[in-house]
Amino acid sequence: MYKKYIFALVLGVSLIPYQPATKAQQPLVADSKPERKDRLTEPFDRKWLESKAMELATKEYQVKQIPADNPLSQMSYDDYKKIQLERGATIWSKENRNFRVNPLHPGFLFKIPVKLNLVVNGVARRVFYTSKIFNYDSEQQDLKNTEAQGYSGFSVTHPINTQDKWDEFLVFQGGSYFRAVGQTNWYGLSARGLAINTAKPSGEEFPVFTEFWLERPNKNNDKLIIHALMESESLTGAFTFTVKPQQNTEILVNSTLYPRRDIESFGVAPLTSMFLFNGMNRSRFDDFRPAVHDSDGLLMIKANNEKIWRPLANPKRLQVSAFEDDAIKGFGLMQRSRNFNDFKDMEAHYHKRPSAWITPMNDWGAGHVELVEIPTKAEIHDNIVAFWQPNQLLKAGQPREFSYKISWGNDAPVKNIQGKIVATAAGKSLGSETVREFVIEYAGQAIPSDLSINAISSSGQIVGVTSQIIPETNHLRVVAKFEPGAEDVSELRVSLSKEDKQWGETWLYRWTK
């Protein structure tokens, strides 16, 4: 899974080719030395970072990149994974603090050097890059002797599961990507600072975090504060991440964006994940496992408190869905399959992958949750993207602030979900060559016996619905029978109600022939 993790972080939607250096990306000289003209220390606070981002937004985009002929760029995956940080080089490892930071080696797919700084009492000190803090094998001397102007990112450890073991729970590496886990989780889906032009014909633009400032936490502090500078051709950004590892690890994100130009297509709080197959499309894959995915559905809570569950798909063609709302209360990519037998995978541990839930903390205005599903035939590709697209566009020279919280864990931190959809499957209806059956399972402590089922389709026809309690699980099973006729695509919707009041989550799905 480390291999998938590397590729996913750098490429995001990895079916979109990695873009080579533009004219604005100035390669490093292969034998260059770190820029020691930089001051070792300088005053730092959030206002200073905002001023720096604002100033850079008035200038041409210039990000240095390791050139193709540098041995750092020519590393294979196997070469990269052999490089290990010396234990004594871990930041704060010899101090009585709740967090430890590991700088990550540049090179391989990570070709934009990232600067790291430590902040103590409002003063930032640069952590200059050196290969001396890494261990290389005997065949990697050319790598050991290279120079770079930064690391590729960093990871953070904390005794999140037990008090006597420091587990990695957070990593920033590649573009503006970062990922975290809650207790007992394995790494799965990723978050990003911002998405620009995702799934657009013009090609996606990938902003990058080029510099970080990590505030040294006080002793016994349960939160870590990280600041980041984001840069791209279209904008710059000042980000602050307040991180609290726990059962559901929480990251409060405060961002200020400074557009260089008008930006119509952009995504706030983007999440990137992988969905290959499950009971909805398993027949397309010759695999001993019953399912393979990091996430199995998109959950949304609208302004009117309607809870919507949209199972993910691995379509044969790229598809984009938009779910409009005046003031979204939250959304996220969920992994609801939590049993080993859901996957039967002893290496990937998909049943332990985290869900990620986004809660807006300021007014985002009207807009829509956008879901992008990209065809893929392999689980190493992240092919799912979800984000919030505001109706109000980004205007050149006009800063915009977005604040939100990301919760990483087994489930969304949403209480009292009655009628939670825990599984969806589909197949040909018995006795018919054209009718499809969609089987939806709902969980709840007290499932009403007199629920009304409302099933509709945008095209084709719903030809029947049934429901019953499953004795072995006490789940409610609803079966919607769909006759597509000559149609190639249809939006399906199933909702339940009791005495004209909605009960449970609303199920949505886009069927394609």
Side-chain angles (χ1 to χ4, degrees), residues 79 82 135-145:
D79 286 333
K82 289 178 183 177
N135 291 319
Y136 306 82
D137 70 10
S138 59
E139 299 178 354
Q140 293 181 312
Q141 294 307 305
D142 58 337
L143 298 175
K144 186 176 182 179
N145 296 326

Side-chain angles (χ1 to χ4, degrees), residues 191-204:
R192 281 190 271 170
L194 194 72
I196 300 178
N197 291 335
T198 302
K200 295 296 186 290
S202 59
E204 183 164 4

Side-chain angles (χ1 to χ4, degrees), residues 89-250:
T90 297
I91 297 171
W92 302 325
S93 63
K94 299 179 181 179
E95 302 181 34
N96 184 21
R97 308 192 186 279
N98 274 334
F99 301 93
R100 297 174 182 175
V101 176
N102 298 310
L104 300 177
H105 201 283
F108 181 42
L109 297 179
F110 307 110
K111 299 179 182 180
I112 296 178
V114 175
K115 296 178 180 179
L116 301 182
N117 304 272
L118 302 181
V119 180
V120 181
N121 296 326
V123 177
R125 181 181 295 273
R126 175 68 50 79
V127 181
F128 285 108
Y129 171 76
T130 175
S131 62
K132 294 180 180 180
I133 64 173
F134 295 96
N135 291 319
Y136 306 82
D137 70 10
S138 59
E139 299 178 354
Q140 293 181 312
Q141 294 307 305
D142 58 337
L143 298 175
K144 186 176 182 179
N145 296 326
T146 55
E147 294 286 355
Q149 292 187 3
Y151 297 91
S152 64
F154 62 92
S155 64
V156 185
T157 61
H158 172 82
I160 185 173
N161 294 303
T162 61
Q163 291 298 316
D164 57 353
K165 183 181 179 182
W166 290 75
D167 290 318
E168 182 180 307
F169 77 97
L170 174 68
V171 62
F172 284 81
Q173 188 179 35
S176 67
Y177 286 82
F178 60 98
R179 58 174 57 185
V181 294
Q183 289 178 356
T184 73
N185 290 146
W186 285 51
Y187 279 131
L189 77 171
S190 304
R192 281 190 271 170
L194 194 72
I196 300 178
N197 291 335
T198 302
K200 295 296 186 290
S202 59
E204 183 164 4
E205 178 179 325
F206 288 93
V208 296
F209 288 136
T210 56
E211 191 164 0
F212 290 94
W213 293 261
L214 292 84
E215 293 190 18
R216 186 180 71 178
N218 296 327
K219 294 181 180 179
N220 301 320
N221 197 330
D222 63 351
K223 295 180 181 179
L224 177 65
I225 299 177
I226 302 167
H227 306 272
L229 172 66
M230 189 178 73
E231 299 184 68
S232 79
E233 294 182 2
S234 299
L235 51 69
T236 63
F239 282 74
T240 297
F241 304 89
T242 303
V243 183
K244 184 176 182 179
Q246 51 190 352
Q247 181 174 357
N248 269 36
T249 291
E250 292 184 348

Side-chain angles (χ1 to χ4, degrees), residues 30 73 86 109 120 209 228 232 234 246 271 284 302 309 411:
S73 296
E86 290 189 0
L109 297 179
V120 181
F209 288 136
S232 79
S234 299
Q246 51 190 352
L271 300 172
R284 290 166 46 195
K302 302 183 69 175
W309 176 253
D411 206 349

Side-chain angles (χ1 to χ4, degrees), residues 42-90:
E42 61 185 354
F44 177 86
D45 59 19
R46 169 72 188 198
K47 291 184 178 180
W48 180 92
L49 177 58
E50 291 174 354
S51 296
K52 182 179 180 69
M54 183 182 298
E55 179 185 2
L56 287 174
T58 65
K59 300 178 181 179
E60 183 182 1
Y61 172 57
Q62 291 185 339
V63 174
K64 295 178 179 179
Q65 182 167 328
I66 300 172
D69 59 356
N70 189 306
L72 292 173
S73 296
Q74 298 173 350
M75 271 193 289
S76 67
Y77 164 72
D78 291 331
D79 286 333
Y80 189 80
K81 72 176 183 178
K82 289 178 183 177
I83 302 172
Q84 300 293 325
L85 181 72
E86 290 189 0
R87 182 173 299 180
T90 297

Side-chain angles (χ1 to χ4, degrees), residues 273-422:
S273 191
M274 180 276 294
F275 178 88
L276 191 64
F277 67 87
N278 65 4
M280 297 288 283
N281 63 327
R282 192 186 185 287
S283 61
R284 290 166 46 195
F285 295 87
D286 185 11
D287 198 303
F288 77 92
R289 298 167 295 181
V292 173
H293 51 75
D294 285 339
S295 308
D296 52 12
L298 169 66
L299 177 64
M300 295 165 281
I301 300 181
K302 302 183 69 175
N304 63 0
N305 286 322
E306 181 183 16
K307 298 177 178 66
I308 294 177
W309 176 253
R310 165 62 156 78
L312 297 178
N314 180 4
K316 294 183 179 180
R317 299 176 182 175
L318 170 72
Q319 63 181 29
V320 179
S321 305
F323 308 90
E324 297 183 349
D325 199 30
D326 291 333
I328 194 76
K329 288 189 174 181
F331 71 93
L333 292 175
M334 301 289 108
Q335 181 75 314
R336 285 186 168 174
S337 301
R338 286 295 171 197
N339 296 319
F340 171 78
N341 286 333
D342 292 335
F343 303 96
K344 297 184 178 180
D345 193 317
M346 297 182 66
E347 297 181 358
H349 297 269
Y350 285 116
H351 62 294
K352 293 186 177 181
R353 302 299 173 96
S355 300
W357 179 254
I358 307 294
T359 303
M361 303 303 288
N362 66 341
D363 184 8
W364 287 4
H368 66 264
V369 174
E370 189 160 317
L371 174 65
V372 180
E373 296 164 304
I374 302 173
T376 184
K377 296 181 179 180
E379 61 197 278
I380 63 170
H381 296 143
D382 276 359
N383 64 319
I384 304 294
V385 185
F387 52 79
W388 176 257
Q389 167 73 67
N391 288 346
Q392 184 180 354
L393 308 183
L394 293 175
K395 290 290 188 179
Q398 297 182 12
R400 288 276 296 279
E401 295 183 1
F402 294 96
S403 179
Y404 54 94
K405 183 179 293 184
I406 312 178
S407 176
W408 309 76
N410 286 337
D411 206 349
V414 180
K415 298 181 180 180
N416 302 321
I417 296 184
Q418 282 291 328
K420 176 181 177 180
I421 298 173
V422 294

